């Protein structure tokens, strides 16, 4: 199996900072004034932490960022969201974003109602998932 031009074993042996991000992903995010980040249902610390970290980084770059995890979160996960950034799909209906990124999930069936409610008019969809 090939991954970014190498075998998985070769990629795992590298420093993660040496693995290039595909140019279309960088372009879609860099050129977008607004970004919607969507995490998976049944969220875990990996999903919540990665999504919020990316949101903070993009906001620091001057982008308008919304975050959707369309499921309830346990108490310890809610405490990670200190700025109360995470919203449900229902809360975000009617919004418009230049780019949407699925974070920690590659299957649109695992993003709850965000699939039907928020992905209808998406022009740029980026998948950021270490599982694939």
């Amino acid at each position: 199996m090939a991954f970014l031009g190498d075998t998985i074993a070769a990629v795992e042996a590298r420093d993660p900072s040496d693995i290039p991000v595909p140019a279309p992903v960088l372009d879609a995010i860099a050129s977008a004034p607004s970004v919607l980040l969507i995490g998976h249902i049944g969220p875990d610390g990996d999903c919540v932490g990665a999504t919020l970290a990316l949101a903070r980084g993009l906001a620091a770059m001057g982008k308008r960022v919304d975050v959707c995890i369309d499921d309830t979160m346990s108490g310890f996960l809610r405490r990670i969201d200190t700025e109360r950034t995470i919203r449900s799909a229902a809360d975000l209906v009617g919004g418009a974003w230049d780019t949407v990124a699925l974070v920690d999930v590659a299957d649109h069936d695992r993003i709850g109602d965000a699939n039907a409610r928020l992905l209808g008019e998406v022009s740029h969809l980026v998948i950021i998932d270490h599982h694939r």
Side-chain angles (χ1 to χ4, degrees):
M1 176 183 291
F3 181 73
L4 297 176
D6 288 318
T7 64
I8 288 177
V11 170
E12 289 173 352
R14 283 197 224 157
D15 181 325
S17 64
D18 291 338
I19 300 171
V21 177
V25 171
L26 289 177
D27 292 343
I29 293 172
S31 65
S34 61
V35 179
L36 171 63
L37 304 176
I38 302 175
H40 60 75
I41 57 174
D44 53 15
D46 192 26
C47 169
V48 175
T51 304
L52 289 173
L54 183 55
R56 289 177 183 156
L58 293 172
M61 294 171 61
K63 302 193 180 295
R64 181 178 63 81
V65 182
D66 287 304
V67 177
C68 178
I69 296 178
D70 200 42
D71 203 354
T72 57
M73 294 190 299
S74 63
F76 83 95
L77 291 175
R78 283 194 309 270
R79 285 192 293 274
I80 295 172
D81 187 13
T82 58
E83 298 172 8
R84 306 239 187 258
T85 304
I86 298 172
R87 302 182 54 204
S88 70
D91 292 338
L92 294 167
V93 168
W97 303 273
D98 301 294
T99 295
V100 175
L102 304 185
V103 180
D104 196 43
V105 59
D107 184 352
H108 61 80
D109 290 334
R110 293 205 56 233
I111 60 172
D113 284 345
N115 182 28
R117 292 181 170 209
L118 304 177
L119 295 186
E121 300 296 321
V122 172
S123 58
H124 293 98
L125 178 64
V126 172
I127 297 174
I128 302 169
D129 184 18
H130 66 100
H131 299 103
R132 291 188 88 166

